[in-house]
Amino acid sequence: MKRKVIIIGGVAGGATAAARLRRISEDAEIILVERGEHISFANCGLPYYIGETISDRSKLLVQTVEGMSERFLLDIRVQSEAVSIDGKNKKLTIKNVKTGEVYEETFDKLLLSPGAKPIIPPISGIANHESLFTLRNIPDTDRIKDFVDQKALKSAVIIGGGFIGLEMAENLVARGIKVTVIEKGNQVLAPLDVEMASSVQTHLKQNGVTLIIGNGVKEFKENGSRVVLEDNTEIIAEMTILSIGVRPENELAKSAGLELGEQGGIVVNHLLQTSNQDIYAVGDAIEVRDYINRKKTMIPLAGPANRQGRIAANNIMGKKEKYEGTLGTSIVKVFDLTVATTGNNEKVLQKWDIPYEVVHIHPNSHAGYYPESTPIALKLIFDKESGRIYGAQAIGRDGVDKRIDVIATAIKGNLTVEDLTNLELSYAPPYSSAKDPVNMAGYVATNIVDGELEQIQWHEVEQIVQNGGYLLDVRESVEREFGYIKGSHNISLGQLRDKLGELPKNQPIYVSCQVGLRGYLASRILKNNGFDVKNVDGGWKTYSAVTNTTEIIENTKETSSQKEKRKEEESFQSDVILDVAGLTCPMPIVKLKKGIDQLEPNQVLELLATDKGILTDIPAWAKKVGHQILKTEQEGSVIKFWIKKK
């Protein structure tokens, strides 16, 4: 039977559905109505065109109207706005935006893919703002890029620390603009938990971004050139980008009497049908089921929108394919870091009173002895009783994407944390380790499920110490020069068996190390000797990510002239070059201390490392012991310090 299907909206959901409909049937009449002039563009690539990483604008256009019309035999009507839906009589009223003509089209099935629009809050003075932008589509991109190109800007304010806000921050910095990011919440990147977001915030500052957390915008003054915060701080801004989130484009659905959810999303069933069985909806405008907790939510992501478009097309043509919910797997580039998440974070699980357990590990991206190996901070969240995986978060320079993708696949396959230990993943020194980080996270989590390991989290440490708890740091004493938990006692792992008599047996012992591994080994020694012991999950590295307030060195980009001038001014030479890139704790610190001790006063040690933590650790240590940092620079994944011995 020939069907007439009208699709409202292109891009991810609508364009995918249109192509799928044609692949299923050569007989269907398919009309795609799009308010804008582009039906399929790379909206996730827009910030990178503004930053000139993508130099060719045409590459943003995934499909042209002509190309898609011809290939899929579609009736595509751009610059045409769907004005109203008569669901009972299956009629759609359409307005030609250019000519003003209004007409009706009948349909057998209708698919809504209107997307979501940026939230614009009623901030005082916003109506008079002359340099305020949002980023949603190609015209928005053109306006921002033209403004940046023509004005030779020196400063910009980005309101909102989400994915788009941080991508825009990076790309404006790449254009030589001083960027301030204002985030009203207590962290950037809401899908992360706070201790994971902390390292991203540090990295933003290291790259010259001024970051304001926990402070919103109260007012715009002088046509937007002054941004007034809630604490009355004023910031000069030559342009402002508003990026505080999106809300579903639901006006058409609402006027048609379709059911909407609490957050304004269009309510659909498992077949992606709205409350009118002949009208389907997909993409950022719909309310979905969270794949983990099964609650209704809004998750505006391109991947799910594409899948929904395909499923809706199948069902329009008579199939009964279910959409099982959205997992929320996402990834973002923030300067040199990759940040990825999947599933639920702690905040979401706490909201729905779902019990969970957490592990943090800090493995290398690949074998430490192979060049360019860098650390990954990986967090796994799971059910302690069943081992079911609830979610994961990862941050690092390399290898983050594949670890989160593996865990996302494991979640969809109903694997447990124990199953992660049995995954046979590809290994060669340039790509991984024989025990992949996913395997390692599985090992630690399985130890907890099996009762072999008890632990506490970073946010519990301070209260435990204040209450008189015994915190044992099993790192080498030299490592504590770079930072330690106040109130902790120090016995290195190598000395532990010889000093068991010094430890109390009448109270729990909380064991900490650099990243958690030596703490686990120490906890096994202590437990096997009759002690009540718990490990500090993630060690000093996780704890200090949130609590450490040491000086942050900006890793700003130099122009060629600045680089030449600096080279002329630098008259020192390295007396010793020490390469600790890729080494795991405690070796980098031990080797550095030994290297410094062997120098004569005023000699210079050149240190090569790949752990970004040294950007805060080394300056704090040098200041404490009296050495001088002469220079810091980064080449690829390698961070270099030139340290002059006191």
Side-chain angles (χ1 to χ4, degrees), residues 39 62-74 76:
I39 51 145
V62 179
Q63 279 280 10
T64 64
V65 173
E66 296 77 15
M68 194 163 181
S69 297
E70 182 178 344
R71 173 171 290 186
F72 295 104
L73 196 61
L74 305 175
I76 299 177

Side-chain angles (χ1 to χ4, degrees), residues 405-575:
D405 285 345
V406 167
I407 295 173
T409 304
I411 292 174
K412 294 289 281 188
N414 295 318
L415 302 188
T416 66
V417 294
E418 184 175 6
D419 292 323
L420 296 183
T421 70
N422 294 316
L423 292 180
E424 188 174 332
L425 303 172
S426 58
Y427 161 63
Y431 305 106
S432 185
S433 299
K435 292 179 182 177
D436 188 87
V438 173
N439 299 135
M440 294 169 66
Y443 288 130
V444 179
T446 300
N447 285 339
I448 292 173
V449 172
D450 291 345
E452 283 190 23
L453 174 65
E454 292 184 76
Q455 61 177 21
I456 61 168
Q457 290 301 317
W458 62 271
H459 54 82
E460 300 175 281
V461 170
E462 187 174 335
Q463 190 62 51
I464 287 171
V465 173
Q466 287 180 359
N467 292 342
Y470 192 94
L471 184 63
L472 177 63
D473 185 345
V474 296
R475 297 178 299 166
E476 301 297 320
S477 59
V478 64
E479 293 178 86
R480 287 169 64 87
E481 294 181 14
F482 293 79
Y484 63 92
I485 300 172
K486 291 181 180 180
S488 62
H489 306 266
N490 181 222
I491 300 175
S492 70
L493 179 63
Q495 299 174 321
L496 185 58
R497 288 187 177 90
D498 297 329
K499 296 189 176 184
L500 293 176
E502 300 178 14
L503 300 175
K505 276 204 168 184
N506 61 344
Q507 67 179 113
I509 296 176
Y510 302 93
V511 182
S512 174
C513 67
Q514 186 70 12
V515 298
L517 175 59
R518 283 175 289 168
Y520 169 66
L521 298 176
S523 72
R524 296 306 304 162
I525 293 171
L526 293 172
K527 190 169 185 178
N528 289 334
N529 280 276
F531 289 89
D532 179 8
V533 58
K534 296 182 180 181
N535 196 21
V536 178
D537 180 40
W540 166 254
K541 198 162 190 176
T542 297
Y543 175 83
S544 64
V546 186
T547 60
N548 201 1
T549 57
T550 53
E551 177 186 1
I552 293 173
I553 292 182
E554 278 193 21
N555 181 29
T556 52
K557 306 293 183 184
E558 292 180 307
T559 64
S560 56
S561 60
Q562 288 173 327
K563 190 173 289 186
E564 289 301 318
K565 184 179 179 182
R566 174 178 57 77
K567 286 181 178 178
E568 291 176 7
E569 294 173 347
E570 292 168 355
S571 57
F572 62 86
Q573 291 184 334
S574 300
D575 296 290

Side-chain angles (χ1 to χ4, degrees), residues 186-294:
N186 66 343
Q187 64 170 83
V188 299
L189 297 178
L192 294 177
D193 286 311
V194 65
E195 81 281 10
M196 301 294 283
S198 292
S199 61
V200 179
Q201 291 164 186
T202 297
H203 189 61
L204 286 165
K205 296 172 186 176
Q206 288 168 346
N207 282 276
V209 174
T210 300
L211 185 59
I212 299 173
I213 299 290
N215 200 353
V217 175
K218 180 174 71 174
E219 183 183 3
F220 294 113
K221 288 183 176 179
E222 298 175 15
N223 297 324
S225 63
R226 289 185 177 273
V227 181
V228 184
L229 304 186
E230 290 174 345
D231 65 356
N232 293 318
T233 300
E234 292 194 11
I235 301 169
I236 302 296
E238 295 174 80
M239 76 178 296
T240 302
I241 293 178
L242 198 56
S243 180
I244 62 173
V246 296
R247 60 165 52 99
E249 287 264 25
N250 62 10
E251 292 83 1
L252 191 62
K254 185 177 182 180
S255 65
L258 301 180
E259 184 182 354
L260 302 179
E262 289 184 5
Q263 296 174 277
I266 302 169
V267 174
V268 295
N269 62 16
H270 60 280
L271 300 177
L272 298 173
Q273 292 169 306
T274 67
S275 51
N276 182 321
Q277 300 293 287
D278 292 312
I279 302 176
Y280 294 72
V282 299
D284 296 353
I286 71 168
E287 185 180 74
V288 297
R289 289 277 181 189
D290 185 302
Y291 188 83
I292 297 296
N293 61 56
R294 306 313 299 168

Side-chain angles (χ1 to χ4, degrees), residues 277-394:
Q277 300 293 287
D278 292 312
I279 302 176
Y280 294 72
V282 299
D284 296 353
I286 71 168
E287 185 180 74
V288 297
R289 289 277 181 189
D290 185 302
Y291 188 83
I292 297 296
N293 61 56
R294 306 313 299 168
K295 306 295 184 182
K296 292 183 178 180
T297 187
M298 304 289 297
I299 304 179
L301 291 170
N306 272 284
R307 285 188 294 279
Q308 292 158 12
R310 179 185 174 91
I311 291 171
N314 289 343
N315 293 338
I316 285 171
M317 299 308 292
K319 294 189 177 184
K320 298 293 182 183
E321 184 177 350
K322 293 182 180 180
Y323 183 69
E324 300 291 350
T326 302
L327 187 54
T329 305
S330 55
I331 191 166
V332 63
K333 178 181 179 293
V334 183
F335 292 96
D336 297 326
L337 290 181
T338 300
V339 182
T341 70
T342 189
N344 285 178
N345 58 26
E346 289 193 64
K347 298 186 289 275
V348 172
L349 294 171
Q350 289 168 3
K351 176 182 178 180
W352 300 113
D353 294 321
I354 298 173
Y356 64 90
E357 188 61 74
V358 169
V359 297
H360 298 82
I361 62 172
H362 300 273
N364 279 341
S365 57
H366 59 253
Y369 56 81
Y370 190 88
E372 302 284 308
S373 176
T374 55
I376 295 174
L378 177 59
K379 176 177 184 176
L380 185 67
I381 310 174
F382 58 98
D383 177 46
K384 185 177 180 179
E385 301 303 318
S386 67
R388 182 192 175 197
I389 304 167
Y390 288 144
Q393 302 161 35

